[in-house]
Amino acid sequence: YLRRFPDASEVLQEVQEELIHNAETKVPDGGYDDSTPSSNRFGRPNLSRFEFLEMVGVGGFGSVWRAFDRILEREVAVKIPRLERVKLAEFLREARTAAHLNHPNIVKVYDVGEENGTSFIVTEFIDGKNLRDWARTRKMTHEEVAELVAKLALAIQHAHDQGIIHRDLKLANVLMDTKGDPHIADFGLAKRESHPDSIAVRGQVLG
């Protein structure tokens, strides 16, 4: 590919590094990983505001941590990007997009910030598995499946009513809490219909 598309060498290099990284860590794409990820690869973050308890997700985007927020005095999820892969503008765009949404089945964004060169998004912490792993451990009735789909559809409709299209809705991006309720996460590829900073690259398929 580098020989055929020399002008795309930078993008191809990033794709190659991400494929190698995901193969080494064996982490599913998106959502929280049910396995125990290695925190040594990324290192425990050092942010004065948070007490980092454990890494709950890791991938090409960066890492997600369960943490105690000393300011809000509650347990939260802290997403820390790998900024060599995710531009800061895109990272902040995700936070701004999700912050416009307020629905019980969409992961809430509490805050976004930066400390000592480390950017982060603070969100609601969902104590559970993603829908893909959750569904493997139980047999649902037709009624239960219909109810689950209805909750997801209403949540996505709420986003659409705000002019926001998720574009990456999949099992790994739906987190199931201990009560069996779904929460849609990861608006990293979301498009805001009336906003100029939406990701839109000509000829590129997203989501």
Side-chain angles (χ1 to χ4, degrees):
Y1 278 102
L2 284 171
R3 286 194 298 269
R4 292 172 58 189
F5 308 105
D7 294 339
S9 59
E10 183 177 345
V11 173
L12 290 171
Q13 182 67 29
E14 291 180 0
V15 171
Q16 181 185 38
E17 291 176 359
E18 185 159 338
L19 288 171
I20 293 173
H21 172 78
N22 288 343
E24 289 175 347
T25 55
K26 296 181 175 64
V27 173
D29 178 28
Y32 297 162
D33 181 18
D34 189 39
S35 63
T36 302
S38 171
S39 60
N40 294 331
R41 175 179 295 276
F42 286 81
R44 190 174 298 273
N46 182 21
L47 301 174
S48 60
R49 173 176 170 178
F50 305 101
E51 178 186 353
F52 288 93
L53 305 175
E54 63 175 328
M55 184 190 290
V56 294
V58 62
F61 66 86
S63 56
V64 178
W65 294 77
R66 180 173 70 90
F68 181 76
D69 189 326
R70 297 187 177 99
I71 294 179
L72 299 177
E73 295 187 344
R74 60 182 167 185
E75 194 170 80
V76 296
V78 180
K79 182 175 183 179
I80 299 178
R82 302 177 66 190
L83 288 181
E84 69 272 23
R85 298 174 182 273
V86 184
K87 295 179 181 179
L88 180 59
E90 296 177 0
F91 178 73
L92 295 177
R93 182 190 59 79
E94 175 185 350
R96 287 194 297 266
T97 299
H100 282 76
L101 304 175
N102 184 18
H103 191 277
N105 298 115
I106 294 178
V107 174
K108 294 178 177 63
V109 173
Y110 294 143
D111 198 4
V112 60
E114 182 179 357
E115 180 180 334
N116 299 325
T118 299
S119 299
F120 57 88
I121 295 178
V122 186
T123 70
E124 173 185 14
F125 177 71
I126 306 300
D127 186 12
K129 302 178 179 180
N130 64 47
L131 180 53
R132 177 185 54 206
D133 297 332
W134 184 86
R136 289 173 178 167
T137 63
R138 66 200 67 234
K139 183 175 178 61
M140 302 177 68
T141 66
H142 295 306
E143 290 79 7
E144 289 171 335
V145 172
E147 183 178 356
L148 177 60
V149 172
K151 289 180 179 179
L152 293 173
L154 290 171
I156 286 296
Q157 184 62 52
H158 170 75
H160 290 178
D161 290 342
Q162 312 305 314
I164 297 172
I165 305 171
H166 191 286
R167 296 203 296 186
D168 197 23
L169 186 62
K170 56 188 178 183
L171 298 179
N173 285 338
V174 177
L175 306 178
M176 304 297 295
D177 64 23
T178 55
K179 297 179 180 178
D181 286 325
H183 301 263
I184 298 171
D186 198 349
F187 280 77
L189 292 181
K191 177 178 176 62
R192 295 172 64 181
E193 293 180 326
S194 60
H195 207 281
D197 68 353
S198 293
I199 294 178
V201 181
R202 187 175 182 179
Q204 181 175 343
V205 178
L206 295 175

